[in-house]
Each structure stands twice: as C-alpha cells, then as structure tokens.
Amino acid sequence: MQESRSTTPIVIVHGGAWSGISFQRDARADGAKHAAIVGWKRLEETGNAIDAAEAAVCSLEDDPIFDAGTGSVLNSSGHIEMDAVIMDGATLNSGGVACVRNIKNPVTLARKVMENTHHCLLVGEGANQFAEKVGIHTIPEEQLLSELSVTKLKLCEGNYGDRVGHAFKAKNVKKTHEHAKGEHDTVGAVVIDAHGNVAAATSTGGITAKMAGRVGDSPLIGLGCYGDNVTGGVSCTGHGESIMKVHLASRIIMYMDAGLGPKDAAEKALDYMYDRTEGAGGVIVLDNKGNFGVHYTTGYMAWACIRDNKLHHGISGHENHTEELPQNMA
C-alpha cells in the first residue's frame, strides 16, 4: 500500500460523450455541475475520495437526462440492464456490477461488491441477489424509465445493427470532426482527497437496443475506469466495444506513467482508439498531483470539475468555463 500524502482535493465528473443534435446540452451541463458540487460537498463532509466519487455518480444516476440509473436506455427486449464500477486507488480494490436490473443506484451496489466480497464483479441475477442480501432493495423497472429512453428505442426499430455497431464510428475525426449521430451518456467521476487517495467510478445503462446480456467497458477496471494513487484516475465514455479493444483507461494510465500529462495522455489514447477502431468517445483524467484533463472525439461531453474552490465546466469544443463557488460551498 502506498503512503498517503497531502495534495489539493479535486472532483471531476462527466455526463457522457455524444454527437448529433444538441437539444439536451443545457440540462446535461446543469446535471454535470450539480453532480460535481454534490461530490465536493461529500468530500468536505468525510474527506474520503470514495465517498465523494460514489455521491457524484449517484447524483448523475438520479438525473433522468443521463443514461445511468434513472433514465437508463432500453435493450432490444425493452428492458433496462445497467453496469457500474468503483475503484479505490489506495488499495486497487474495486467492485463492479453488470446487467443488473431494478436497482436505483448501481454504483452503490458496486461499492458493496468492493467492500463486502472477495470479488471484483458480479453480474445479472447474482448481482441482484447480492443486492437484496446487503439491503439494497429492487424497485419497479418503471421507476427507472424515462420518456427519452422509450423514444430512443422507438427510433432504433429496424436499425439495430447500424445503431449498435456504428453509432460511435467517427468519420475523419482528426480532420473534419464529423461524427456519426449517437449518444452514450455513461457517467463517471474521479476524485482525489487531501490525503492523495484516488477514487474513480463509472456507471451506465449501455447502448439503446443492445442485445440482452450485453456488457460494455463501463464496469471493467482498466477499460471504462481506473484509479491508482501512484498515477491517477480515469473514467471513460463512448463506444464500449472500441474502448474494450484498446483498454482505454489503462492506456491513459500507461501514457501518464511514461511522463505525459492528463490532457496529452487523453488525446493520445483517443487518437489511438480512432486509428485502430474508428471508435469515438471521451474521458476525464486526473494525475496524482491534482492536475486534470478532459478530451472527447464526439461533438459533446458534459463535464465539471471543482478544485481550489473554483468550478470548471464545459460541454463542447474546447470550452473551459470557470466560476467561483458560492461562499457557503467554499
């Protein structure tokens, strides 16, 4: 185990990478900022990075504008199956759930897997049975449904292969930034507390019209998420199959280990993913010194970050707006 060290606390979140129409951008931007503030408040209360990462992701899961928890998209059978993971950078312990159903906050269940079992991942019926055992009760699927998710499935009828297989294929992404239309509202958070401990978490409802039982990158450490006190933390969003093929989170950590900063590591890894798979996506990255990087090869990705009592946020292009936190927050 690494010794703890003093560092500047930081919370960063994302609300998923997407391309195409932008009518939801204000709601997603507000949701990301709110989640960052929720995570920051939790960090002030407990001083614990894991608590803050869980709280921030729960906020995103509770917001029906995002594809995680409430608002999760529907699979090809018309049901919701969710994935989530959380990782402790001090110990490298992690917990994940996949294809879990009827759970309001999958990230909280993932934390229970990390802290109450010897396993890293539970799936399907077994994950739901474990949820009941640890006191996380199921809720009716209707409580997780949003009108937007129902609409998305209707729009995919008769277009299953194109929707799932190519929705995130970018066209000449480095030259023209023209992208296939699609969404992947996977949410995530990365946190460093004052002791230098890193936590990372990712949660998703997956891709609209996915096959029942499909699992993407999100609940798998090194793919959709990674946290390590020695280097930093990453949460990913985008075309899951592409992310899995290049081990995106681990690749970014590897680039930072080789000396790149968070922003450069993110750009290099997403360029590599496009070169090898034509897949698009986005990431939030922290190094162990509290520096952050944000990059995405889709049209939009709502993100927000709090450090030094300042809120940084953006949603498209190279936006990085900065504002002071309210006095009662600072």
Side-chain angles (χ1 to χ4, degrees):
M1 184 182 298
Q2 298 294 314
E3 294 183 2
S4 64
R5 63 189 184 282
S6 177
T7 192
T8 301
I10 182 169
V11 174
I12 187 167
V13 307
H14 72 79
W18 90 98
S19 293
I21 55 179
S22 61
F23 72 96
Q24 302 166 336
R25 59 174 292 152
D26 290 343
R28 296 191 196 205
D30 289 343
K33 287 188 284 185
H34 177 71
I37 291 172
V38 168
W40 185 259
K41 286 182 176 179
R42 187 64 174 157
L43 188 59
E44 289 187 320
E45 291 169 357
T46 72
N48 184 288
I50 298 170
D51 290 342
E54 179 190 6
V57 171
C58 280
S59 176
L60 294 161
E61 289 176 336
D62 290 343
D63 189 334
I65 200 67
F66 299 113
D67 173 20
T70 303
S72 290
V73 297
L74 297 166
N75 65 19
S76 59
S77 300
H79 293 290
I80 291 172
E81 292 181 326
M82 301 167 288
D83 308 328
V85 70
I86 193 165
M87 187 167 185
D88 177 0
T91 62
L92 300 187
N93 290 336
S94 68
V97 293
C99 291
V100 67
R101 298 179 64 174
N102 304 92
I103 298 294
K104 186 175 187 293
N105 293 113
V107 72
T108 296
L109 180 56
R111 182 172 179 177
K112 292 291 188 182
V113 173
M114 178 176 71
E115 296 179 341
N116 293 56
T117 81
H118 297 292
H119 304 309
C120 291
L121 180 67
L122 295 179
V123 305
E125 182 180 351
N128 277 101
Q129 290 174 351
F130 173 72
E132 290 291 336
K133 182 178 180 180
V134 296
I136 298 177
H137 301 297
T138 57
I139 62 174
E141 187 174 60
E142 291 75 18
Q143 293 185 23
L144 299 173
L145 279 177
S146 69
E147 183 179 345
L148 182 60
S149 295
V150 174
T151 299
K152 286 177 180 178
L153 184 62
K154 289 180 179 177
L155 291 173
C156 290
E157 290 179 357
N159 194 29
Y160 173 82
D162 179 67
R163 176 67 188 83
V164 177
H166 302 287
F168 304 99
K169 294 281 186 177
K171 297 178 181 178
N172 299 320
V173 64
K174 287 188 275 187
K175 295 181 180 179
T176 67
H177 290 273
E178 295 177 358
H179 309 281
K181 292 182 179 180
E183 92 292 331
H184 196 292
D185 309 307
T186 294
V187 304
V190 186
V191 179
I192 297 179
D193 63 31
H195 304 291
N197 292 319
V198 176
T202 304
S203 180
T204 190
I207 299 175
T208 298
K210 65 184 179 180
M211 293 178 65
R214 178 264 188 186
V215 178
D217 65 289
S218 296
L220 304 175
I221 59 172
L223 305 183
C225 175
Y226 201 77
D228 184 352
N229 285 12
V230 173
T231 305
V234 181
S235 178
C236 304
T237 172
H239 185 231
E241 281 71 16
S242 297
I243 292 171
M244 295 168 83
K245 291 172 184 176
V246 301
H247 289 208
L248 186 60
S250 290
R251 184 169 296 277
I252 291 169
I253 294 292
M254 177 185 69
Y255 289 155
M256 289 200 293
D257 281 337
L260 291 182
K263 176 69 169 176
D264 290 340
E267 290 182 2
K268 183 175 181 178
L270 284 168
D271 281 350
Y272 178 84
M273 187 170 83
Y274 170 71
D275 289 341
R276 296 304 307 273
T277 71
E278 294 186 314
V283 295
I284 52 172
V285 187
L286 296 182
D287 68 15
N288 65 356
K289 300 178 181 64
N291 301 305
F292 73 90
V294 177
H295 189 60
Y296 44 97
T297 52
T298 55
Y300 310 94
M301 186 180 79
W303 65 274
C305 174
I306 298 178
R307 183 182 64 184
D308 296 326
N309 295 321
K310 289 183 172 60
L311 173 64
H312 307 267
H313 58 93
I315 197 165
S316 64
H318 298 288
E319 288 180 349
N320 185 350
H321 305 293
T322 303
E323 56 192 76
E324 296 288 338
L325 287 177
Q327 285 297 319
N328 60 356
M329 280 286 304

